[in-house]
mmCIF file of all heavy atoms in Angstrom:
data_model
loop_
_atom_site.group_PDB
_atom_site.id
_atom_site.type_symbol
_atom_site.label_atom_id
_atom_site.label_comp_id
_atom_site.label_asym_id
_atom_site.label_seq_id
_atom_site.Cartn_x
_atom_site.Cartn_y
_atom_site.Cartn_z
ATOM 1 N N CYS A 19 42.169 -10.556 -7.896
ATOM 2 C CA CYS A 19 42.786 -9.827 -9.067
ATOM 3 C C CYS A 19 41.977 -10.067 -10.342
ATOM 4 O O CYS A 19 42.430 -9.569 -11.371
ATOM 5 C CB CYS A 19 44.198 -10.188 -9.301
ATOM 6 S SG CYS A 19 44.486 -11.848 -9.629
ATOM 7 N N ILE A 21 41.752 -12.559 -12.136
ATOM 8 C CA ILE A 21 42.363 -13.537 -13.120
ATOM 9 C C ILE A 21 41.508 -14.820 -13.149
ATOM 10 O O ILE A 21 41.184 -15.421 -12.031
ATOM 11 C CB ILE A 21 43.830 -13.821 -12.858
ATOM 12 C CG1 ILE A 21 44.645 -12.572 -13.163
ATOM 13 C CG2 ILE A 21 44.338 -14.982 -13.698
ATOM 14 C CD1 ILE A 21 46.080 -12.632 -12.868
ATOM 15 N N THR A 71 50.418 -14.769 -11.929
ATOM 16 C CA THR A 71 50.360 -13.798 -13.153
ATOM 17 C C THR A 71 51.416 -14.195 -14.133
ATOM 18 O O THR A 71 52.464 -14.835 -13.867
ATOM 19 C CB THR A 71 50.689 -12.295 -12.767
ATOM 20 O OG1 THR A 71 51.761 -12.317 -11.800
ATOM 21 C CG2 THR A 71 49.465 -11.690 -11.964
ATOM 22 N N THR A 72 51.158 -13.951 -15.357
ATOM 23 C CA THR A 72 52.025 -14.185 -16.536
ATOM 24 C C THR A 72 52.603 -12.757 -16.874
ATOM 25 O O THR A 72 51.868 -11.905 -17.204
ATOM 26 C CB THR A 72 51.262 -14.710 -17.689
ATOM 27 O OG1 THR A 72 50.613 -15.947 -17.273
ATOM 28 C CG2 THR A 72 52.203 -15.081 -18.782
ATOM 29 N N ASN A 73 53.910 -12.639 -16.704
ATOM 30 C CA ASN A 73 54.552 -11.232 -16.914
ATOM 31 C C ASN A 73 55.301 -11.176 -18.217
ATOM 32 O O ASN A 73 56.155 -10.225 -18.361
ATOM 33 C CB ASN A 73 55.469 -11.001 -15.587
ATOM 34 C CG ASN A 73 54.780 -11.273 -14.401
ATOM 35 O OD1 ASN A 73 55.112 -12.145 -13.666
ATOM 36 N ND2 ASN A 73 53.702 -10.442 -14.052
ATOM 37 N N GLU A 74 55.000 -11.997 -19.181
ATOM 38 C CA GLU A 74 55.687 -12.105 -20.453
ATOM 39 C C GLU A 74 55.647 -10.645 -21.061
ATOM 40 O O GLU A 74 54.505 -10.074 -21.260
ATOM 41 C CB GLU A 74 55.080 -13.104 -21.278
ATOM 42 C CG GLU A 74 55.320 -13.061 -22.823
ATOM 43 C CD GLU A 74 56.771 -13.278 -23.239
ATOM 44 O OE1 GLU A 74 57.620 -13.738 -22.369
ATOM 45 O OE2 GLU A 74 57.069 -13.099 -24.372
ATOM 46 N N THR A 75 56.687 -10.033 -21.428
ATOM 47 C CA THR A 75 56.654 -8.794 -22.244
ATOM 48 C C THR A 75 57.900 -8.480 -22.863
ATOM 49 O O THR A 75 58.879 -9.356 -22.660
ATOM 50 C CB THR A 75 56.375 -7.687 -21.224
ATOM 51 O OG1 THR A 75 56.161 -6.433 -21.972
ATOM 52 C CG2 THR A 75 57.573 -7.402 -20.200
ATOM 53 N N ARG A 79 56.642 -4.574 -28.250
ATOM 54 C CA ARG A 79 55.926 -5.841 -28.667
ATOM 55 C C ARG A 79 55.036 -5.709 -29.775
ATOM 56 O O ARG A 79 54.224 -4.768 -29.829
ATOM 57 C CB ARG A 79 55.252 -6.203 -27.399
ATOM 58 C CG ARG A 79 54.447 -7.548 -27.512
ATOM 59 C CD ARG A 79 54.007 -7.993 -26.117
ATOM 60 N NE ARG A 79 53.558 -9.311 -26.098
ATOM 61 C CZ ARG A 79 53.155 -10.017 -24.920
ATOM 62 N NH1 ARG A 79 53.158 -9.412 -23.817
ATOM 63 N NH2 ARG A 79 52.821 -11.337 -25.056
ATOM 64 N N GLY A 116 48.994 -2.642 -16.640
ATOM 65 C CA GLY A 116 49.519 -4.047 -16.743
ATOM 66 C C GLY A 116 50.862 -3.948 -17.454
ATOM 67 O O GLY A 116 51.085 -4.577 -18.512
ATOM 68 N N SER A 118 53.891 -4.863 -16.460
ATOM 69 C CA SER A 118 54.893 -5.859 -16.135
ATOM 70 C C SER A 118 56.255 -5.214 -15.814
ATOM 71 O O SER A 118 56.246 -4.300 -15.122
ATOM 72 C CB SER A 118 55.008 -6.841 -17.324
ATOM 73 O OG SER A 118 55.795 -7.942 -16.878
ATOM 74 N N GLU A 122 57.068 -1.951 -21.955
ATOM 75 C CA GLU A 122 56.013 -1.301 -22.728
ATOM 76 C C GLU A 122 56.148 0.217 -22.485
ATOM 77 O O GLU A 122 56.216 1.052 -23.411
ATOM 78 C CB GLU A 122 54.658 -1.923 -22.485
ATOM 79 C CG GLU A 122 53.503 -1.199 -23.166
ATOM 80 C CD GLU A 122 52.224 -1.910 -22.849
ATOM 81 O OE1 GLU A 122 51.848 -2.919 -23.454
ATOM 82 O OE2 GLU A 122 51.481 -1.440 -21.907
ATOM 83 N N ASP A 151 50.927 -2.011 -12.470
ATOM 84 C CA ASP A 151 50.692 -3.483 -12.519
ATOM 85 C C ASP A 151 50.268 -3.868 -11.067
ATOM 86 O O ASP A 151 50.407 -3.173 -10.082
ATOM 87 C CB ASP A 151 52.070 -4.201 -12.743
ATOM 88 C CG ASP A 151 51.854 -5.583 -13.369
ATOM 89 O OD1 ASP A 151 51.523 -6.531 -12.603
ATOM 90 O OD2 ASP A 151 51.937 -5.688 -14.545
ATOM 91 N N ILE A 152 49.701 -5.010 -11.076
ATOM 92 C CA ILE A 152 49.222 -5.545 -9.739
ATOM 93 C C ILE A 152 50.378 -6.178 -8.918
ATOM 94 O O ILE A 152 50.430 -6.212 -7.738
ATOM 95 C CB ILE A 152 48.067 -6.556 -9.860
ATOM 96 C CG1 ILE A 152 47.484 -6.866 -8.509
ATOM 97 C CG2 ILE A 152 48.573 -7.925 -10.595
ATOM 98 C CD1 ILE A 152 46.220 -7.806 -8.570
ATOM 99 N N SER A 153 51.378 -6.559 -9.661
ATOM 100 C CA SER A 153 52.608 -7.279 -8.992
ATOM 101 C C SER A 153 53.697 -6.306 -8.532
ATOM 102 O O SER A 153 54.283 -5.757 -9.427
ATOM 103 C CB SER A 153 53.072 -8.454 -10.007
ATOM 104 O OG SER A 153 54.318 -8.763 -9.651
ATOM 105 N N ILE A 205 48.537 -0.832 -9.179
ATOM 106 C CA ILE A 205 47.168 -0.681 -9.320
ATOM 107 C C ILE A 205 46.547 -1.944 -9.738
ATOM 108 O O ILE A 205 47.055 -2.693 -10.675
ATOM 109 C CB ILE A 205 46.759 0.437 -10.473
ATOM 110 C CG1 ILE A 205 47.296 1.822 -10.012
ATOM 111 C CG2 ILE A 205 45.343 0.454 -10.700
ATOM 112 C CD1 ILE A 205 47.334 2.856 -11.079
ATOM 113 N N ASN A 206 45.470 -2.413 -9.093
ATOM 114 C CA ASN A 206 44.814 -3.592 -9.311
ATOM 115 C C ASN A 206 43.596 -3.162 -10.213
ATOM 116 O O ASN A 206 42.813 -2.335 -9.821
ATOM 117 C CB ASN A 206 44.394 -4.246 -7.973
ATOM 118 C CG ASN A 206 43.595 -5.631 -8.271
ATOM 119 O OD1 ASN A 206 43.337 -5.985 -9.397
ATOM 120 N ND2 ASN A 206 43.348 -6.288 -7.152
ATOM 121 N N LEU A 207 43.571 -3.753 -11.375
ATOM 122 C CA LEU A 207 42.458 -3.300 -12.346
ATOM 123 C C LEU A 207 41.014 -3.657 -11.795
ATOM 124 O O LEU A 207 40.016 -3.176 -12.394
ATOM 125 C CB LEU A 207 42.725 -3.893 -13.639
ATOM 126 C CG LEU A 207 43.942 -3.285 -14.381
ATOM 127 C CD1 LEU A 207 44.294 -4.036 -15.714
ATOM 128 C CD2 LEU A 207 43.779 -1.835 -14.690
ATOM 129 N N ARG A 223 47.456 -4.055 -22.775
ATOM 130 C CA ARG A 223 47.771 -4.988 -23.798
ATOM 131 C C ARG A 223 48.133 -6.309 -23.160
ATOM 132 O O ARG A 223 48.926 -6.388 -22.229
ATOM 133 C CB ARG A 223 48.960 -4.525 -24.709
ATOM 134 C CG ARG A 223 48.645 -3.188 -25.290
ATOM 135 C CD ARG A 223 49.701 -2.658 -26.153
ATOM 136 N NE ARG A 223 49.968 -3.494 -27.311
ATOM 137 C CZ ARG A 223 51.102 -3.967 -27.661
ATOM 138 N NH1 ARG A 223 52.304 -3.629 -27.047
ATOM 139 N NH2 ARG A 223 51.262 -4.776 -28.710
ATOM 140 N N ASN A 224 47.623 -7.427 -23.674
ATOM 141 C CA ASN A 224 47.852 -8.755 -23.215
ATOM 142 C C ASN A 224 47.520 -8.886 -21.662
ATOM 143 O O ASN A 224 48.336 -9.523 -20.899
ATOM 144 C CB ASN A 224 49.290 -9.168 -23.426
ATOM 145 C CG ASN A 224 49.563 -8.930 -24.970
ATOM 146 O OD1 ASN A 224 48.944 -9.651 -25.841
ATOM 147 N ND2 ASN A 224 50.414 -7.927 -25.341
ATOM 148 N N VAL A 225 46.585 -8.186 -21.247
ATOM 149 C CA VAL A 225 46.160 -8.282 -19.842
ATOM 150 C C VAL A 225 44.644 -8.832 -19.767
ATOM 151 O O VAL A 225 44.320 -9.694 -19.019
ATOM 152 C CB VAL A 225 46.162 -6.956 -19.093
ATOM 153 C CG1 VAL A 225 45.719 -6.912 -17.681
ATOM 154 C CG2 VAL A 225 47.556 -6.261 -19.217
ATOM 155 N N TYR A 228 43.502 -12.616 -19.576
ATOM 156 C CA TYR A 228 43.452 -13.363 -18.341
ATOM 157 C C TYR A 228 42.267 -13.250 -17.541
ATOM 158 O O TYR A 228 42.098 -13.923 -16.371
ATOM 159 C CB TYR A 228 44.754 -13.038 -17.434
ATOM 160 C CG TYR A 228 46.026 -13.356 -18.261
ATOM 161 C CD1 TYR A 228 46.723 -12.208 -18.749
ATOM 162 C CD2 TYR A 228 46.444 -14.605 -18.451
ATOM 163 C CE1 TYR A 228 47.947 -12.423 -19.514
ATOM 164 C CE2 TYR A 228 47.585 -14.755 -19.259
ATOM 165 C CZ TYR A 228 48.333 -13.681 -19.654
ATOM 166 O OH TYR A 228 49.409 -13.993 -20.444
ATOM 167 N N PHE A 229 41.304 -12.336 -17.908
ATOM 168 C CA PHE A 229 40.110 -12.150 -17.236
ATOM 169 C C PHE A 229 38.909 -12.815 -17.843
ATOM 170 O O PHE A 229 38.887 -13.121 -18.956
ATOM 171 C CB PHE A 229 39.769 -10.625 -17.140
ATOM 172 C CG PHE A 229 40.825 -9.737 -16.465
ATOM 173 C CD1 PHE A 229 41.046 -8.400 -16.884
ATOM 174 C CD2 PHE A 229 41.680 -10.238 -15.613
ATOM 175 C CE1 PHE A 229 41.973 -7.559 -16.321
ATOM 176 C CE2 PHE A 229 42.661 -9.427 -14.926
ATOM 177 C CZ PHE A 229 42.826 -8.187 -15.291
HETATM 178 C C1 SAM B 1 51.462 -10.580 -20.076
HETATM 179 S S1 SAM B 1 51.844 -9.175 -19.092
HETATM 180 C C2 SAM B 1 51.638 -7.823 -20.383
HETATM 181 C C3 SAM B 1 52.647 -6.781 -20.237
HETATM 182 C C4 SAM B 1 52.591 -5.797 -21.391
HETATM 183 N N1 SAM B 1 51.342 -5.048 -21.326
HETATM 184 C C5 SAM B 1 52.787 -6.297 -22.717
HETATM 185 O O1 SAM B 1 51.826 -6.410 -23.451
HETATM 186 O O2 SAM B 1 53.876 -6.705 -23.078
HETATM 187 C C6 SAM B 1 50.332 -9.024 -18.136
HETATM 188 C C7 SAM B 1 50.475 -8.161 -16.887
HETATM 189 O O3 SAM B 1 49.180 -7.866 -16.360
HETATM 190 C C8 SAM B 1 49.315 -7.842 -14.903
HETATM 191 N N2 SAM B 1 47.959 -8.095 -14.280
HETATM 192 C C9 SAM B 1 47.177 -9.184 -14.185
HETATM 193 N N3 SAM B 1 46.067 -8.998 -13.533
HETATM 194 C C10 SAM B 1 46.099 -7.705 -13.156
HETATM 195 C C11 SAM B 1 45.170 -6.923 -12.416
HETATM 196 N N4 SAM B 1 44.143 -7.359 -11.928
HETATM 197 N N5 SAM B 1 45.532 -5.550 -12.222
HETATM 198 C C12 SAM B 1 46.713 -5.061 -12.731
HETATM 199 N N6 SAM B 1 47.661 -5.796 -13.433
HETATM 200 C C13 SAM B 1 47.256 -7.112 -13.713
HETATM 201 C C14 SAM B 1 50.215 -8.994 -14.628
HETATM 202 O O4 SAM B 1 50.938 -8.869 -13.340
HETATM 203 C C15 SAM B 1 51.224 -8.896 -15.810
HETATM 204 O O5 SAM B 1 52.429 -8.208 -15.466
#
Side-chain angles (χ1 to χ4, degrees):
C19 60
I21 291 179
T71 49
T72 307
N73 310 114
E74 160 72 5
T75 188
R79 187 172 190 171
S118 189
E122 180 176 278
D151 204 281
I152 192 175
S153 161
I205 296 169
N206 184 350
L207 292 172
R223 305 182 62 229
N224 307 295
V225 181
Y228 300 105
F229 301 153

